[in-house]
Amino acid sequence: MTTTASKPTTSDDRRDAFTRLTPFGWNGGIAFILIALTLSFFLAGYFVIYWRNADMDFMIVYTVLAMNDGKPQLFVDHPAYFTILSVKAWFQAMHSLGLLDAWKLSSIPPAVNVPAFDAAMTSAIRAGRIVAWLTGIAFVAVYAGLIRHVVRDWRVALLTTFAFAFSGGIAVEIRILRSEMIAGSFFAFAMLLLVIAAKRATASRPLLVGAAAALCVLGMENKVQIILLIAALPVLMLPMGSADSASAPVWRNSASAWLWSVGMFIAAAVALALALPLIRDGFDPAATAAATLKPVLLGKFGIYQAALLAWIAAGMIAFAAWWRVSAAETIASMFAMIAGASIGLLALNIDYNIGNVVAVINPVEKMLVFADTPATSAVDHGALLASLKLLFDGVVSVLKRYSFVLYTSPRPTVFLVWLIIPGIVYAWRRGERQLALQATLLLLVAIGIDALGVRRGLKTEYFIFTDPLMILAGALLLDKFNNLRFAKWAYPIGVALIVAHVALSQAEAVKHVLKKSGPEYICDWNQYYEPELPLPWCDLPPKKP
C-alpha cells in the first residue's frame, strides 16, 4: 500500500499509463479523491437554496423533525430507515452542542414568518446535507479498502475507487438526502466481500458470507429495491471462483469442520429466533392491509421470499460443486448467511416501526405500490406478454442510454461500457473465457436492473444500484490485461475517461446551482408528506400564525 514517491522515473514509468494516472500513490490518491468530493459538495451542494432538492430532502428532514418531537417515523416509503436515523442522531447531537436550533418540528417558525422560516429550514436542510457528505466520504473509503482485496494492482484499485466516487450515484447523492446511497453502497460492499470470499479460500470464509448477508438486509432496510440485485448474486458469484477457491484445510478436516458447522448452526438458530417476531409482524394481515400491499404470487405473502432463499441455497451448492468447496463449509456458510440476515433484520428494532418491517419483509409488493400503471396492470393481471414487452422496451431504452449518442445521459459509467464490451470480446478471443463470463454477467445484470428502473424514469439517483456492477466488470478486465497500460493509446483514453467522469458527474450538481425555477412543484406533494409543515409558497395546508 505504499506509494512510488521516491522511485526514480524510468522510461517504463513514462510509458506506463497506470503510473501516470496515479501520481500521488495509494494514500495520496485516496486523499485526493476525498478532497475533490468535499470541494464538489461545498461548491455545488451545501449552499444551494434549501428547497432546490426538496425530493427527498424535505421528506427526510420533516420526518426527523417530527421524530425529535416524539412522533413516530412518518416516511416509510423506501423505507429510508438508516438515512432517517442518521439524520435524527445528527440533529440531536448538533442541538446538544448548541449548533442547531431547528432540530424538531416545534422549533420551526410558522410559515407566515417567511424570513424566520427560511432561516430555520436552511439550517436544518444544510445539517442534513452534511450527513449525506459524511456518509458518502465514509463509503468511498470503505469501498477503497475492499477493492484493494479484489484486484492485484493498487493502481487499478485506485482508479476503480475514483470511478465509484465520481459515479452518477455517489457524485449526486453526496449532496442531497436520498435513500439509495446507503442501500446501493451496502450492496456494493456485500458484492465485493463475496468476490473476495469466492476468489480465495480462508478459514473464516463463512463469516464473510454472513457479513455480506447482513449488509444486503441492512441495505434493504434503506431501499427495498436492492432485492433485485440480491437475487442476482448467486449467478454473479458462480464464475468468480479460482484455483484458490477450494476449501481451506480446516474445512477439509471432517471432525473439526463439522464441529464448526454445528457452532454456526447454533448461531443461526439463535439469531433467527430473535428475528422471528419481526418476520411474523411483516406478514401480519392487518399490517400488510394497512400498507395497501397485495401479494404478488398465488394470492399469498411469503412465496417468492421462500423461493429466493432456495435460489440462494442452490447457488451456494452450485458454487461448492464447481470450485471444490467442502460440504461442511458450504453448510456452515448457509448457516452464516441465515445468521447474518437475521442480525441485519434485528436492526429494525433500533427504532421499531411496523411500516418499515412490512416493507422489508415484502419488498416486491412495496415496490409495486409505486410502480407505474402499465407495470402494475401487467403484474395484477398476470399478463406475461405485457410484462415481457415492458421489459423489452426497458432494455431498448437502457441500450440507447448506454450509447450516449441515441439518448444522452448524465452518467459517467456509460463510457466504461464502451470499453467493457470490447474488453469482453478481447478476453474471449484471448482464451480468458471465465473473465469474459464474469464481466458479461455483471453487465447483463446492470442492463436488466436498469431496464426495470426505466419504469421510474431511471433517475440519476438510481445509478448507485448498477454503477458498481459496471465498475467491477471494468476493474476485473483492467486488472487481468494490465499489460495494455503500455499501449500508446492507454494514457489518452485514461485521461479522457477521467475528464468525462468528472464532467458528467458534476453536471447535475452545476445544473441545480444555475437553475432559476422556483419551488412551486413541491406543492404537489407537500400535503401528503409534510401535513404539519405548511410552506410559505403553498396554499395548502393552511398556514398557522
Side-chain angles (χ1 to χ4, degrees):
M1 297 178 63
T2 57
T3 69
T4 58
S6 61
K7 191 171 122 180
T9 302
T10 66
S11 59
D12 277 349
D13 289 334
R14 288 190 290 270
R15 292 177 52 236
D16 189 336
F18 287 0
T19 298
R20 298 172 69 187
L21 293 171
T22 57
F24 305 115
W26 172 256
N27 293 329
I30 295 299
F32 178 84
I33 290 170
L34 298 183
I35 291 171
L37 284 175
T38 298
L39 289 174
S40 170
F41 167 75
F42 283 104
L43 291 174
Y46 179 75
F47 295 104
V48 171
I49 192 166
Y50 73 91
W51 43 254
R52 176 60 69 202
N53 297 307
D55 179 17
M56 297 169 38
D57 279 1
F58 273 24
M59 301 173 190
I60 297 296
V61 167
Y62 173 78
T63 297
V64 167
L65 294 173
M67 291 175 74
N68 281 337
D69 248 345
K71 300 179 186 295
Q73 180 181 331
L74 304 175
F75 182 85
V76 294
D77 285 354
H78 294 180
Y81 182 59
F82 292 110
T83 302
I84 291 169
L85 289 186
S86 60
V87 175
K88 178 187 174 186
W90 181 254
F91 276 24
Q92 292 172 347
M94 293 280 285
H95 177 71
S96 67
L97 295 172
L99 300 175
L100 182 65
D101 293 329
W103 71 291
K104 59 182 180 178
L105 200 56
S106 58
S107 66
I108 304 296
V112 293
N113 187 349
V114 177
F117 180 91
D118 285 349
M121 286 300 293
T122 296
S123 63
I125 295 295
R126 286 181 176 175
R129 289 173 181 168
I130 289 290
V131 176
W133 165 63
L134 291 174
T135 303
I137 291 293
F139 284 174
V140 170
V142 172
Y143 184 91
L146 290 173
I147 198 67
R148 278 292 314 258
H149 291 85
V150 173
V151 297
R152 298 167 300 173
D153 192 324
W154 68 265
R155 297 169 301 179
V156 174
L158 184 61
L159 294 171
T160 304
T161 301
F162 168 82
F164 177 76
F166 285 91
S167 62
I170 292 290
V172 168
E173 297 203 26
I174 202 169
R175 67 196 83 240
I176 59 178
L177 290 170
R178 295 285 305 192
S179 56
E180 293 88 0
M181 181 162 66
I182 291 178
S185 296
F186 277 7
F187 172 80
F189 301 158
M191 178 174 65
L192 293 180
L193 282 177
L194 291 175
V195 171
I196 293 168
K199 284 181 172 293
R200 292 178 291 274
T202 62
S204 60
R205 182 160 58 179
L207 296 180
L208 292 180
V209 175
L215 284 168
C216 286
V217 173
L218 293 172
M220 279 183 56
E221 290 166 4
N222 222 60
K223 188 85 171 182
V224 296
Q225 277 81 347
I226 71 165
I227 186 66
L228 303 173
L229 290 162
I230 294 169
L233 281 174
V235 173
L236 291 177
M237 292 304 115
L238 195 55
M240 290 293 178
S242 71
D244 298 323
S245 298
S247 290
V250 66
W251 290 107
R252 294 198 295 268
N253 184 315
S254 58
S256 60
W258 287 108
L259 185 61
W260 282 111
S261 297
V262 170
M264 199 62 72
F265 165 76
I266 294 172
V270 171
L272 182 58
L274 293 173
L276 274 178
L278 289 168
I279 298 173
R280 284 195 293 265
D281 289 351
F283 288 127
D284 180 73
T288 54
T292 66
L293 302 188
K294 299 178 182 178
V296 174
L297 294 175
L298 305 177
K300 294 182 180 180
F301 288 99
I303 293 179
Y304 71 84
Q305 291 91 329
L308 177 60
L309 290 175
W311 168 248
I312 293 172
M316 296 175 76
I317 293 170
F319 183 90
W322 188 353
W323 300 108
R324 296 178 293 116
V325 179
S326 70
E329 184 182 1
T330 302
I331 292 172
S333 297
M334 289 180 178
F335 288 141
M337 178 197 69
I338 294 171
S342 300
I343 292 170
L345 199 58
L346 289 173
L348 291 172
N349 285 326
I350 297 173
D351 196 322
Y352 181 88
N353 184 297
I354 186 61
N356 290 331
V357 177
V358 170
V360 174
I361 298 298
N362 305 285
V364 175
E365 287 87 352
K366 186 66 176 179
M367 288 164 57
L368 288 174
V369 170
F370 299 96
D372 61 1
T373 302
T376 304
S377 176
V379 172
D380 287 346
H381 296 92
L384 180 60
L385 289 179
S387 299
L388 291 176
K389 183 180 183 303
L390 290 175
L391 180 61
F392 177 78
D393 291 343
V395 170
V396 171
S397 179
V398 168
L399 294 179
K400 287 181 179 179
R401 285 170 164 84
Y402 286 6
S403 75
F404 194 78
V405 177
L406 299 176
Y407 192 116
T408 56
S409 169
R411 186 176 195 174
T413 44
V414 297
F415 299 114
L416 287 181
V417 175
W418 293 9
L419 294 181
I420 290 169
I421 293 175
I424 291 171
V425 174
Y426 181 74
W428 186 269
R429 296 188 64 176
R430 288 286 301 270
E432 297 288 348
R433 305 297 169 83
Q434 182 184 346
L435 176 62
L437 180 59
Q438 292 170 350
T440 299
L441 288 175
L442 287 165
L443 186 58
L444 287 177
V445 170
I447 292 171
I449 301 297
D450 280 345
L452 295 174
V454 166
R455 306 310 311 170
R456 294 276 293 170
L458 195 56
K459 301 176 184 177
T460 309
E461 295 85 354
Y462 296 166
F463 297 164
I464 189 63
F465 294 142
T466 49
D467 276 350
L469 299 171
M470 302 180 200
I471 292 168
L472 179 59
L476 294 175
L477 289 166
L478 191 61
D479 193 48
K480 183 65 177 180
F481 299 120
N482 63 5
N483 60 305
L484 295 177
R485 70 188 190 274
F486 292 110
K488 64 179 181 180
W489 40 261
Y491 180 69
I493 287 179
V495 171
L497 278 175
I498 289 174
V499 171
H501 232 73
V502 173
L504 277 183
S505 70
Q506 305 305 300
E508 288 296 302
V510 172
K511 184 175 76 174
H512 279 89
V513 171
L514 301 177
K515 203 171 183 180
K516 300 298 183 182
S517 61
E520 291 78 10
Y521 70 95
I522 301 169
C523 301
D524 295 336
W525 47 257
N526 74 302
Q527 296 176 67
Y528 176 77
Y529 286 108
E530 302 165 2
E532 296 183 37
L533 187 66
L535 300 174
W537 57 86
C538 295
D539 295 330
L540 295 173
K543 301 169 186 63
K544 300 176 183 179

